[in-house]
Amino acid sequence: MPGRDREFTMRFLAGAENRNVYGNVHGGSMMKWMDEGAGACAAGWSGLPCVTVAVSGITFHKPVAIGNIVEVRARLIHTGRTSMHIAVNVCSRNPRHGEYEDTTSCLMVFVALDAGGRPTPVPKWEPTTPEDRALQARAVHLRELGQHIQEELRTFESPAADGG
Ligand SMILES: CC(C)(COP(=O)(O)OP(=O)(O)OC[C@H]1O[C@@H](n2cnc3c(N)ncnc32)[C@H](O)[C@@H]1OP(=O)(O)O)[C@@H](O)C(=O)NCCC(=O)NCCS
């Protein structure tokens, strides 16, 4: 669709400022990059300011070495009324040799906001390929699962409630 980007990809070198105590990329840096990539994808689709409302299934499959090329790929896979569900995959390779390897993945949900900071409708995304239909179905299923998980997590929300 002209004027709307369903995908956003960024590539850069993992700089030394992202080093963890083991010499690889810090998990917090990786999460920031994923949030930035998915946020750009959400803004590119909706044309609106967007905020992260949920992150699920974040998995660090492999460490990323400092100095590697990092590719963050964010893909819209489902739209609700005001929400955009974005699959984020990160891969990385040594710039001198080697192939890209998958390192990190998650699903992020962003909400578009109006001028008053309230959730506002986003353009609908319709999958047209079998792969995209499967991705959308997975996003819907994960949202349902997420609602159950959220109920369970409420137990941890107020640790001081018992006076401890
Ligand atoms: C995002 C925010 C505006 C949503 O407000 P809200 O009162 O929950 O709004 P709603 O209940 O109408 O939900 C808005 C959308 O978010 C979705 N949503 C809310 N919580 C969700 C969750 N845990 N997982 C997935 N989607 C969620 C709703 O399903 C709804 O989607 P839909 O319109 O497509 O059906 C509010 O929660 C907020 O400001 N959160 C803080 C955001 C932030 O600071 N992020 C970090 C910095 S960017």
Side-chain angles (χ1 to χ4, degrees), residues 11-34:
R11 281 201 196 110
F12 50 89
L13 283 181
E17 70 279 10
N18 301 293
R19 187 187 301 272
N20 69 13
V21 292
Y22 306 107
N24 293 313
V25 167
H26 197 283
S29 297
M30 182 60 78
M31 289 192 274
K32 181 170 180 284
W33 296 335
M34 294 171 96

Side-chain angles (χ1 to χ4, degrees), residues 6-9 34 37-38 41 72-76 86-89:
R6 181 225 172 173
E7 279 198 36
F8 181 83
T9 302
M34 294 171 96
C41 181
V72 179
R73 180 184 181 211
R75 263 185 311 168
L76 183 77
I86 295 170
V88 189
N89 297 89

Side-chain angles (χ1 to χ4, degrees), residues 35 50-55 78-85 109-113 117-120 122 143 146-147 150:
D35 194 45
C50 300
V51 289
T52 321
V53 70
V55 179
H78 175 56
T79 49
R81 196 180 77 84
T82 66
S83 64
M84 289 157 283
H85 298 230
V109 182
F110 280 72
V111 172
L113 301 180
R118 289 172 300 266
T120 193
V122 296
R143 175 67 180 122
Q147 281 165 331
Q150 247 176 299

Side-chain angles (χ1 to χ4, degrees), residues 14-15 20 30 35 37 53 60 62-63 78 85-86 88 96 98 104-105 114 116 129 141-142 144 147 154 159:
N20 69 13
M30 182 60 78
D35 194 45
V53 70
F60 298 90
K62 286 188 179 150
H78 175 56
H85 298 230
I86 295 170
V88 189
R96 280 170 296 189
T104 323
S105 58
D114 65 15
T129 66
H141 181 57
L142 281 170
E144 288 161 7
Q147 281 165 331
R154 293 240 156 81

